[in-house]
Amino acid sequence: MSLHRLLNPVINARHAIVPNQVVSQSRVSRVLHQTRRRSRWIGGHKSLAQPLSSIAQRQDSSSDLRDIRLAHQNSNHVMQFPPSLPALSRPLVHENSIMAYSDNANKFVSIPDIWLRDNCQCSSCVHEITKQRLLDTFQIPKDISIKLCVEEDYGIRVSWSDGHESYYTSDFLAKSALKNNLVIRQGLAKTSLWTSSIERNPPIVEYDSVIKSDVGLKDWLCKIREFGFCYVDGTPPTPEDTEKLLERIAFIRNTHYGGFYDFTADLASKDTAYTSIALDAHTDNTYFSDPAGLQAFHLLSHTEGDGGASLLVDGFKAAQDLAKQDSEAYDLLSIVNVHAHASGNDGISIQPYRAFPVLLHDPHTHHLVQVRWNSSDRAAIDMPLEEVQRWYDAAGKWSKLLRSSENEYWCQLAPGRVLVFDNWRVLHGRSAFTGKRRICGGYINRDDYLSRFKMLNWGQEEVLKSLAVA
Ligand SMILES: C[N+](C)(C)CCCC[C@H](N)C(=O)O
Ligand SMILES: O=C(O)CCC(=O)C(=O)O
């Protein structure tokens, strides 16, 4: 059975639909080069900027980008996910060194002694309960070497030149050498992009299944990971039961709005969410360095008025549309950094530690990992004013895609139906409303959400192996 199927029953590569946009560095470099030629500008601060082309060249040198870009170039902005993993090959002992199959080098390579010694898993080197390293890495003798290593049924035993004894399971050694561990490290999974037609068959789970069993919780999180959102029907229409539901995933994130939120149009917090005006499709927390990973809404009541429909847009789908429609615009929104702020509450003006692009990509895999889009909270654009028209042109195309009837999914929330969505992928909004409308919900950190997802799908042992920890 291939490692791929061993690792993740959730992933089914044969049907995986594109989850991520891959911006080829060569194209990004060309866009920058054009920008540089016109305005001698890179990344905002000439003295600090490192021309992306040089970063691209550095990244170009790593083979893991070559096959990703190849996939990208051959498949027009998209990459089938996840990259197929090689069969798990058993490590072997050769001339007093340990060889493991590296899918980076596509061959068996010798594992460096320092790495092996530093990753000894015995109870004096790793805390058995906390899984933290106890060993002082930098006290390992510089000339550390294997004095003797013996293959056993399930692993390899090593006697070191400093007298230490180690034992490594074959599974640990094999998985630590793989570069494609990102599937587990990043909690990647099957992704289905959607349009307004999702209305016919939206992802739904039942409250009881989620509350009563981890099987139900896993099903919910897998649907959120696949579609970027999922309803939970049958939820008792109370803040208490809604909070309990969300805490099945992880603790609620505290912000300047408080923790678990229960709000209405009373400007209790000085944000337009606390009014009755319409809100365009946006992602929340663009003013935070780390926007919440999940956001939830549970409409508890709406009396003496109407409107207040909810809007969802698949940002990854819209990004794919933009990439196909105008790759230069896509690249510009992937490069130009935009500032954001939250400054309504007294004594508060929050910004992230740096400006971020609308479309944020993983610097190593080039996968699209985050959409940051909120015109209400947007501040300065990190681009010389004489250049900024290009950003507005690109952003205008993006906005048009978000507002297209193909991509807008309008739904009417109701008591008992909790909406939870991936705030790094799915944009949300609402129509204007009248009357008294009460919504509760909460934010959950992305890392806490993905931790729960990975624990339910692979378990701690496999996750730690993917990190070369256990
Ligand atoms: C969700 N809750 C009502 C607590 C706050 C809403 C804040 C919305 C903010 N403009 C943003 O985009 O993040
Ligand atoms: O009131 C709503 O339906 C959504 C409010 C909103 O967009 C937000 O809280 O971020």
Side-chain angles (χ1 to χ4, degrees):
M1 180 185 273
S2 78
L3 180 64
H4 176 247
R5 281 219 295 275
L6 273 178
L7 281 181
N8 186 342
V10 171
I11 287 183
N12 179 342
R14 287 183 301 285
H15 306 299
I17 298 175
V18 175
N20 295 296
Q21 305 305 318
V22 176
V23 176
S24 79
Q25 284 307 309
S26 54
R27 174 173 289 116
V28 171
S29 307
R30 197 170 63 248
V31 170
L32 265 185
H33 177 67
Q34 285 167 359
T35 307
R36 182 166 51 229
R37 202 176 52 238
R38 288 192 197 138
S39 66
R40 305 297 307 157
W41 165 84
I42 296 286
H45 303 285
K46 290 180 184 160
S47 56
L48 298 177
Q50 191 177 12
L52 201 61
S53 51
S54 68
I55 297 175
Q57 275 139 31
R58 199 170 62 234
Q59 286 178 340
D60 265 338
S61 62
S62 63
S63 63
D64 57 345
L65 287 185
R66 222 169 288 131
D67 54 18
I68 284 177
R69 187 174 303 111
L70 195 62
H72 163 43
Q73 282 157 2
N74 295 340
S75 48
N76 182 21
H77 278 295
V78 297
M79 190 183 73
Q80 295 310 316
F81 234 92
S84 58
L85 298 177
L88 185 61
S89 305
R90 183 180 170 79
L92 48 89
V93 172
H94 174 67
E95 293 175 2
N96 234 23
S97 80
I98 297 178
M99 309 283 285
Y101 177 79
S102 159
D103 56 9
N104 202 40
N106 287 325
K107 62 182 180 182
F108 272 82
V109 295
S110 174
I111 300 181
D113 289 351
I114 179 64
W115 184 92
L116 277 168
R117 181 66 189 86
D118 186 38
N119 286 286
C120 174
Q121 300 302 309
C122 78
S123 56
S124 62
C125 291
V126 176
H127 193 289
E128 285 183 314
I129 295 170
T130 71
K131 309 298 182 189
Q132 292 167 291
R133 180 177 280 101
L134 298 172
L135 167 71
D136 179 345
T137 301
F138 305 100
Q139 291 304 316
I140 298 172
K142 287 269 181 286
D143 62 352
I144 189 74
S145 64
I146 293 176
K147 206 165 71 176
L148 177 68
C149 56
V150 179
E151 285 189 67
E152 297 182 357
D153 287 348
Y154 297 100
I156 298 174
R157 194 165 300 285
V158 173
S159 301
W160 291 100
S161 55
D162 67 352
H164 194 74
E165 297 284 325
S166 300
Y167 176 77
Y168 304 91
T169 66
S170 298
D171 200 37
F172 166 70
L173 291 171
K175 290 174 182 170
S176 303
L178 294 177
K179 75 164 171 36
N180 275 330
N181 271 322
L182 67 90
V183 168
I184 297 185
R185 287 179 187 166
Q186 296 187 359
L188 300 181
K190 175 178 177 179
T191 298
S192 297
L193 305 183
W194 45 267
T195 64
S196 55
S197 63
I198 191 99
E199 177 186 24
R200 291 196 290 268
N201 185 26
I204 302 171
V205 294
E206 290 302 319
Y207 172 81
D208 286 344
S209 72
V210 172
I211 287 293
K212 285 178 181 165
S213 78
D214 279 357
V215 172
L217 176 60
K218 176 179 171 182
D219 180 36
W220 182 27
L221 294 189
C222 288
K223 286 183 164 68
I224 294 174
R225 198 78 179 108
E226 178 177 356
F227 296 97
F229 77 99
C230 184
Y231 293 123
V232 183
D233 281 358
T235 305
T238 69
E240 296 75 17
D241 289 296
T242 307
E243 185 170 12
K244 193 173 96 177
L245 172 69
L246 298 182
E247 287 177 341
R248 284 285 284 144
I249 301 174
F251 58 88
I252 304 286
R253 171 168 174 173
N254 257 310
T255 70
H256 56 300
Y257 306 114
F260 182 80
Y261 46 73
D262 185 345
F263 67 101
T264 186
D266 61 2
L267 272 176
S269 259
K270 304 302 181 281
D271 184 282
T272 49
Y274 296 77
T275 71
S276 59
I277 66 172
L279 300 174
D280 279 345
H282 65 279
T283 59
D284 269 23
N285 307 163
T286 49
Y287 39 79
F288 285 146
S289 302
D290 174 33
L294 298 179
Q295 182 168 6
F297 292 133
H298 188 184
L299 180 76
L300 297 178
S301 63
H302 187 181
T303 55
E304 303 162 34
D306 59 15
S310 296
L311 167 64
L312 295 177
V313 178
D314 185 349
F316 281 12
K317 162 55 171 63
Q320 184 182 66
D321 292 348
L322 183 65
K324 288 176 178 174
Q325 183 186 99
D326 184 335
S327 57
E328 303 288 348
Y330 181 96
D331 294 347
L332 209 62
L333 295 186
S334 303
I335 298 169
V336 175
N337 292 324
V338 177
H339 293 271
H341 77 108
S343 308
N345 286 12
D346 297 341
I348 280 181
S349 183
I350 300 169
Q351 292 86 37
Y353 80 94
R354 53 154 283 199
F356 286 91
V358 172
L359 302 176
L360 185 69
H361 295 77
D362 180 299
H364 300 291
T365 64
H366 292 209
H367 302 157
L368 175 63
V369 291
Q370 186 184 67
V371 173
R372 278 174 182 250
W373 179 259
N374 189 321
S375 290
S376 307
D377 300 345
R378 175 170 20 94
I381 298 164
D382 251 358
M383 208 173 182
L385 278 182
E386 65 272 21
E387 292 281 323
V388 83
Q389 182 63 52
R390 297 175 64 219
W391 185 87
Y392 281 103
D393 294 343
K397 291 170 183 168
W398 167 248
S399 173
K400 193 172 176 192
L401 286 167
L402 296 179
R403 293 173 170 176
S404 69
S405 56
E406 183 199 2
N407 287 328
E408 286 192 336
Y409 162 46
W410 284 94
C411 53
Q412 181 53 59
L413 296 180
R417 167 165 278 192
V418 175
L419 164 65
V420 179
F421 56 91
D422 179 339
N423 182 54
W424 282 33
R425 166 183 170 184
V426 173
L427 298 94
H428 65 284
R430 75 171 180 225
S431 62
F433 62 90
T434 56
K436 292 177 184 164
R437 179 175 179 269
R438 182 185 170 197
I439 282 198
C440 72
Y443 291 127
I444 290 175
N445 290 318
R446 180 177 178 85
D447 295 348
D448 300 315
Y449 150 49
L450 288 184
S451 167
R452 175 74 64 215
F453 175 80
K454 293 190 273 188
M455 288 301 121
L456 290 166
N457 279 284
W458 294 289
Q460 186 179 70
E461 190 181 344
E462 282 304 305
V463 172
L464 291 179
K465 273 183 206 143
S466 80
L467 297 166
V469 168

